[in-house]
Amino acid sequence: MKITFLGTGTSQGIPIIGSNHPVCLSKNPKDKRLRVSILVEWGNYTYVVDCGPDFRYQMLRANCKRIDGILFTHEHSDHVLGLDDIRPFYFRQGDVPIYAHKRVLKEIKKRFSYFFVTENKYPGAPAVIENRIKNKPFLLHGLTVVPIKGKHAELSVFGFRFKDFAYLTDMKTVKNKEVEKLKGVKVLVVNALRITPHRSHFNLEEALQFIERVNPEKAYLTHISHLLGFHDEVQELLPDNVFLAYDELQITV
Protein backbone atom coordinates (compact mmCIF):
# COMPACT_ATOMS: atom_id res chain seq x y z
CA MET A 1 0.00 0.00 0.00
CA LYS A 2 1.34 3.42 -0.99
CA ILE A 3 0.31 6.63 0.75
CA THR A 4 0.96 10.07 -0.70
CA PHE A 5 0.55 13.12 1.50
CA LEU A 6 -1.31 15.50 -0.82
CA GLY A 7 -1.41 18.20 1.84
CA THR A 8 -0.25 18.47 5.44
CA GLY A 9 -1.41 21.94 6.43
CA THR A 10 -4.22 23.31 8.54
CA SER A 11 -7.30 25.17 7.29
CA GLN A 12 -5.42 28.25 6.05
CA GLY A 13 -2.46 26.37 4.63
CA ILE A 14 1.12 27.57 4.87
CA PRO A 15 1.99 30.26 3.95
CA ILE A 16 -1.08 32.11 5.18
CA ILE A 17 -2.24 34.89 2.87
CA GLY A 18 -0.60 38.18 3.85
CA SER A 19 1.34 36.74 6.79
CA ASN A 20 4.83 37.89 7.72
CA HIS A 21 5.33 35.06 10.20
CA PRO A 22 8.83 33.57 9.73
CA VAL A 23 7.48 30.10 8.91
CA CYS A 24 5.21 31.59 6.26
CA LEU A 25 8.27 33.28 4.73
CA SER A 26 10.39 30.12 4.82
CA LYS A 27 12.13 29.06 1.60
CA ASN A 28 12.12 25.40 2.66
CA PRO A 29 9.60 23.49 0.49
CA LYS A 30 8.72 21.35 3.51
CA ASP A 31 7.34 24.47 5.20
CA LYS A 32 4.81 25.01 2.40
CA ARG A 33 1.67 23.05 3.16
CA LEU A 34 -1.59 22.65 1.26
CA ARG A 35 -4.78 21.67 3.05
CA VAL A 36 -4.67 18.21 4.57
CA SER A 37 -5.42 15.13 2.44
CA ILE A 38 -3.88 11.80 1.46
CA LEU A 39 -3.94 9.46 -1.52
CA VAL A 40 -4.12 5.74 -0.67
CA GLU A 41 -3.22 3.20 -3.37
CA TRP A 42 -3.24 -0.59 -3.35
CA GLY A 43 -3.43 -2.99 -6.26
CA ASN A 44 -5.22 -1.14 -9.04
CA TYR A 45 -7.25 1.05 -6.67
CA THR A 46 -6.82 4.67 -5.68
CA TYR A 47 -8.75 6.49 -2.95
CA VAL A 48 -8.52 9.98 -1.54
CA VAL A 49 -9.17 10.89 2.09
CA ASP A 50 -10.74 14.36 2.18
CA CYS A 51 -11.12 16.75 -0.71
CA GLY A 52 -10.24 20.29 0.34
CA PRO A 53 -9.91 23.53 -1.62
CA ASP A 54 -6.47 22.54 -2.97
CA PHE A 55 -7.78 19.30 -4.50
CA ARG A 56 -7.35 20.30 -8.15
CA TYR A 57 -3.70 21.26 -7.74
CA GLN A 58 -3.02 18.24 -5.53
CA MET A 59 -4.33 15.90 -8.24
CA LEU A 60 -2.21 17.61 -10.88
CA ARG A 61 0.88 17.57 -8.70
CA ALA A 62 0.41 13.86 -7.93
CA ASN A 63 -0.28 13.09 -11.61
CA CYS A 64 -3.42 11.28 -10.51
CA LYS A 65 -5.54 10.20 -13.48
CA ARG A 66 -8.16 8.10 -11.73
CA ILE A 67 -9.79 7.83 -8.32
CA ASP A 68 -12.06 5.04 -7.15
CA GLY A 69 -13.63 7.14 -4.43
CA ILE A 70 -13.27 9.74 -1.68
CA LEU A 71 -13.52 9.12 2.07
CA PHE A 72 -14.45 12.06 4.27
CA THR A 73 -13.36 12.54 7.85
CA HIS A 74 -15.87 15.36 8.44
CA GLU A 75 -17.55 18.28 6.71
CA HIS A 76 -15.38 21.33 7.48
CA SER A 77 -14.48 23.43 4.45
CA ASP A 78 -10.80 22.51 4.39
CA HIS A 79 -11.88 18.88 3.98
CA VAL A 80 -14.76 19.10 1.47
CA LEU A 81 -14.59 22.33 -0.49
CA GLY A 82 -12.71 20.90 -3.49
CA LEU A 83 -15.43 18.43 -4.37
CA ASP A 84 -16.50 20.28 -7.52
CA ASP A 85 -13.07 19.54 -8.96
CA ILE A 86 -13.92 15.86 -9.33
CA ARG A 87 -15.42 16.85 -12.70
CA PRO A 88 -12.54 15.53 -14.87
CA PHE A 89 -12.80 12.18 -13.07
CA TYR A 90 -16.58 12.20 -13.51
CA PHE A 91 -16.33 12.96 -17.23
CA ARG A 92 -13.95 10.02 -17.72
CA GLN A 93 -15.27 7.53 -15.20
CA GLY A 94 -18.88 8.41 -14.40
CA ASP A 95 -20.34 8.98 -10.95
CA VAL A 96 -17.66 9.16 -8.24
CA PRO A 97 -18.28 7.16 -5.03
CA ILE A 98 -18.04 9.11 -1.78
CA TYR A 99 -17.98 7.64 1.74
CA ALA A 100 -19.03 9.61 4.80
CA HIS A 101 -21.13 9.75 7.94
CA LYS A 102 -24.80 10.59 7.29
CA ARG A 103 -24.31 14.06 8.81
CA VAL A 104 -21.44 14.76 6.43
CA LEU A 105 -23.42 13.50 3.43
CA LYS A 106 -26.26 15.82 4.40
CA GLU A 107 -23.88 18.79 4.50
CA ILE A 108 -22.36 17.85 1.14
CA LYS A 109 -25.84 17.70 -0.41
CA LYS A 110 -26.51 21.18 0.95
CA ARG A 111 -23.25 22.73 -0.29
CA PHE A 112 -23.22 20.92 -3.63
CA SER A 113 -26.94 20.71 -4.24
CA TYR A 114 -26.44 21.04 -8.01
CA PHE A 115 -24.78 17.59 -8.00
CA PHE A 116 -28.08 16.04 -7.00
CA VAL A 117 -30.56 17.81 -9.29
CA THR A 118 -32.70 15.32 -11.21
CA GLU A 119 -34.37 17.70 -13.66
CA ASN A 120 -32.67 20.25 -15.92
CA LYS A 121 -29.30 19.50 -14.36
CA TYR A 122 -26.45 21.62 -15.64
CA PRO A 123 -24.54 19.35 -18.04
CA GLY A 124 -21.14 20.24 -16.58
CA ALA A 125 -22.07 19.30 -13.02
CA PRO A 126 -20.60 16.08 -11.68
CA ALA A 127 -22.43 13.35 -9.82
CA VAL A 128 -21.50 11.15 -6.88
CA ILE A 129 -22.58 7.82 -5.45
CA GLU A 130 -23.36 8.25 -1.77
CA ASN A 131 -22.09 5.61 0.64
CA ARG A 132 -23.11 6.13 4.24
CA ILE A 133 -20.59 4.82 6.73
CA LYS A 134 -21.13 4.13 10.40
CA ASN A 135 -18.67 3.39 13.15
CA LYS A 136 -18.08 -0.15 11.95
CA PRO A 137 -15.76 -1.73 9.36
CA PHE A 138 -16.64 -1.63 5.67
CA LEU A 139 -15.10 -3.11 2.53
CA LEU A 140 -13.40 -1.37 -0.38
CA HIS A 141 -12.53 -3.91 -3.08
CA GLY A 142 -11.86 -6.61 -0.53
CA LEU A 143 -9.87 -4.37 1.82
CA THR A 144 -11.41 -3.80 5.25
CA VAL A 145 -11.48 -0.17 6.34
CA VAL A 146 -12.02 0.46 10.05
CA PRO A 147 -13.43 3.86 11.09
CA ILE A 148 -11.88 5.41 14.20
CA LYS A 149 -14.27 7.83 15.91
CA GLY A 150 -12.96 10.89 17.70
CA LYS A 151 -14.03 14.35 18.73
CA HIS A 152 -12.99 17.60 17.05
CA ALA A 153 -14.10 19.82 19.93
CA GLU A 154 -17.76 18.66 20.07
CA LEU A 155 -17.93 17.44 16.47
CA SER A 156 -17.62 13.71 15.78
CA VAL A 157 -15.03 12.89 13.12
CA PHE A 158 -13.76 9.68 11.58
CA GLY A 159 -10.23 8.51 11.12
CA PHE A 160 -9.59 5.39 9.07
CA ARG A 161 -7.47 2.28 9.45
CA PHE A 162 -6.36 0.49 6.27
CA LYS A 163 -4.69 -2.75 7.40
CA ASP A 164 -1.41 -1.71 9.05
CA PHE A 165 -1.87 2.01 8.30
CA ALA A 166 -4.12 4.47 10.13
CA TYR A 167 -4.92 8.09 9.36
CA LEU A 168 -6.43 10.44 11.94
CA THR A 169 -6.83 14.17 11.57
CA ASP A 170 -8.67 16.97 13.40
CA MET A 171 -8.76 14.93 16.61
CA LYS A 172 -8.88 16.34 20.11
CA THR A 173 -10.18 13.38 22.11
CA VAL A 174 -10.36 9.66 21.32
CA LYS A 175 -11.98 7.16 23.67
CA ASN A 176 -10.12 4.05 24.79
CA LYS A 177 -12.40 1.70 22.86
CA GLU A 178 -11.49 3.55 19.65
CA VAL A 179 -7.79 3.49 20.49
CA GLU A 180 -8.08 -0.30 20.82
CA LYS A 181 -8.98 -0.44 17.11
CA LEU A 182 -5.53 0.98 16.36
CA LYS A 183 -3.55 -1.64 18.21
CA GLY A 184 -1.00 -3.32 15.96
CA VAL A 185 -0.82 -0.61 13.31
CA LYS A 186 2.65 -0.21 11.87
CA VAL A 187 2.21 3.38 10.69
CA LEU A 188 0.01 5.99 12.36
CA VAL A 189 -0.71 9.49 11.03
CA VAL A 190 -2.18 11.98 13.49
CA ASN A 191 -2.75 15.74 13.66
CA ALA A 192 -0.44 18.07 15.57
CA LEU A 193 -1.56 21.65 15.06
CA ARG A 194 0.88 23.71 17.11
CA ILE A 195 2.89 23.87 20.36
CA THR A 196 0.27 25.53 22.58
CA PRO A 197 -3.05 23.83 23.40
CA HIS A 198 -6.03 24.23 21.07
CA ARG A 199 -9.71 23.62 21.79
CA SER A 200 -10.34 21.22 18.89
CA HIS A 201 -6.96 19.79 17.80
CA PHE A 202 -4.12 17.86 19.36
CA ASN A 203 -1.15 20.09 20.02
CA LEU A 204 2.31 18.55 19.70
CA GLU A 205 2.42 17.22 23.28
CA GLU A 206 -1.01 15.62 22.96
CA ALA A 207 -0.15 14.07 19.61
CA LEU A 208 3.02 12.51 21.04
CA GLN A 209 1.07 11.19 24.04
CA PHE A 210 -1.50 9.67 21.69
CA ILE A 211 1.26 8.03 19.66
CA GLU A 212 2.60 6.47 22.86
CA ARG A 213 -0.88 5.06 23.60
CA VAL A 214 -1.13 3.44 20.17
CA ASN A 215 2.56 2.42 20.03
CA PRO A 216 3.03 2.09 16.25
CA GLU A 217 6.35 1.31 14.64
CA LYS A 218 6.34 4.74 12.99
CA ALA A 219 4.17 7.84 13.26
CA TYR A 220 3.74 10.93 11.11
CA LEU A 221 2.33 14.30 12.14
CA THR A 222 -0.01 16.24 9.86
CA HIS A 223 -2.59 19.09 9.88
CA ILE A 224 0.25 21.42 10.85
CA SER A 225 0.03 25.17 11.29
CA HIS A 226 2.81 27.74 11.03
CA LEU A 227 2.70 27.96 14.84
CA LEU A 228 4.27 24.51 15.18
CA GLY A 229 7.51 25.99 13.87
CA PHE A 230 10.02 25.31 11.10
CA HIS A 231 9.89 21.77 9.75
CA ASP A 232 13.58 20.97 10.21
CA GLU A 233 13.75 22.44 13.72
CA VAL A 234 10.66 20.58 14.94
CA GLN A 235 11.88 17.30 13.42
CA GLU A 236 15.04 17.47 15.53
CA LEU A 237 12.92 17.50 18.71
CA LEU A 238 10.82 14.45 17.87
CA PRO A 239 11.35 10.85 18.99
CA ASP A 240 13.27 8.65 16.58
CA ASN A 241 10.14 6.95 15.23
CA VAL A 242 8.05 10.13 14.80
CA PHE A 243 8.28 12.30 11.70
CA LEU A 244 6.74 15.50 10.44
CA ALA A 245 4.87 14.70 7.26
CA TYR A 246 5.25 17.12 4.38
CA ASP A 247 3.52 17.67 1.07
CA GLU A 248 4.31 15.04 -1.60
CA LEU A 249 5.90 12.67 0.91
CA GLN A 250 5.26 9.06 -0.13
CA ILE A 251 5.46 6.08 2.17
CA THR A 252 4.83 2.36 1.64
CA VAL A 253 3.21 0.22 4.30
Side-chain angles (χ1 to χ4, degrees):
M1 180 180 294
K2 183 171 77 171
I3 295 93
T4 303
F5 289 85
L6 300 172
T8 56
T10 187
S11 56
Q12 296 182 85
I14 304 174
I16 294 173
I17 295 171
S19 175
N20 289 320
H21 189 280
V23 174
C24 291
L25 299 178
S26 171
K27 301 300 183 183
N28 185 348
K30 292 180 180 178
D31 285 321
K32 300 184 186 303
R33 304 181 185 275
L34 299 180
R35 267 61 73 95
V36 67
S37 178
I38 58 169
L39 196 67
V40 184
E41 301 174 82
W42 70 92
N44 296 319
Y45 304 110
T46 301
Y47 282 83
V48 177
V49 179
D50 288 332
C51 181
D54 300 313
F55 179 73
R56 173 185 172 273
Y57 179 61
Q58 289 169 337
M59 292 293 94
L60 289 169
R61 186 169 68 173
N63 194 29
C64 185
K65 294 181 170 60
R66 175 185 174 83
I67 57 172
D68 293 287
I70 303 170
L71 285 67
F72 288 99
T73 60
H74 64 296
E75 67 270 37
H76 283 170
S77 291
D78 54 324
H79 297 260
V80 306
L81 211 54
L83 192 55
D84 184 76
D85 285 325
I86 65 171
R87 284 181 291 162
F89 298 114
Y90 166 70
F91 296 149
R92 289 194 298 267
Q93 303 171 206
D95 298 6
V96 176
I98 61 173
Y99 301 79
H101 185 275
K102 66 177 181 179
R103 185 198 72 235
V104 180
L105 291 173
K106 183 178 179 180
E107 182 64 25
I108 287 172
K109 292 183 81 168
K110 184 190 302 182
R111 293 193 186 194
F112 300 94
S113 58
Y114 56 95
F115 284 24
F116 303 93
V117 172
T118 55
E119 294 183 9
N120 300 317
K121 182 177 178 178
Y122 179 67
V128 296
I129 301 169
E130 299 174 75
N131 293 274
R132 175 181 167 184
I133 58 177
K134 301 179 181 180
N135 191 16
K136 61 182 183 180
F138 60 97
L139 287 175
L140 294 178
H141 306 286
L143 185 145
T144 299
V145 180
V146 181
I148 312 296
K149 184 180 177 181
K151 288 285 191 176
H152 179 38
E154 298 305 314
L155 185 73
S156 292
V157 299
F158 276 150
F160 300 104
R161 177 174 181 170
F162 305 80
K163 290 188 177 180
D164 293 328
F165 170 78
Y167 179 80
L168 281 68
T169 186
D170 290 57
M171 297 285 183
K172 179 63 178 179
T173 55
V174 185
K175 292 184 177 179
N176 288 334
K177 65 179 181 179
E178 298 298 313
V179 176
E180 285 299 312
K181 298 178 184 178
L182 295 167
K183 293 302 182 183
V185 295
K186 293 181 179 178
V187 178
L188 172 69
V189 179
V190 68
N191 55 297
L193 186 72
R194 64 190 192 189
I195 301 297
T196 58
H198 188 273
R199 64 178 294 273
S200 60
H201 287 276
F202 287 152
N203 68 351
L204 179 59
E205 181 181 6
E206 291 166 334
L208 293 176
Q209 290 172 350
F210 185 79
I211 291 166
E212 286 188 6
R213 287 172 69 190
V214 176
N215 192 31
E217 292 179 8
K218 289 184 179 180
Y220 292 84
L221 305 178
T222 193
H223 206 293
I224 294 162
S225 82
H226 62 298
L227 298 175
L228 187 64
F230 292 102
H231 182 283
D232 291 348
E233 293 180 3
V234 175
Q235 183 60 60
E236 291 182 0
L237 304 175
L238 298 178
D240 289 343
N241 68 328
V242 180
F243 307 90
L244 278 191
Y246 54 88
D247 289 20
E248 298 187 273
L249 170 66
Q250 291 187 339
I251 60 174
T252 301
V253 182

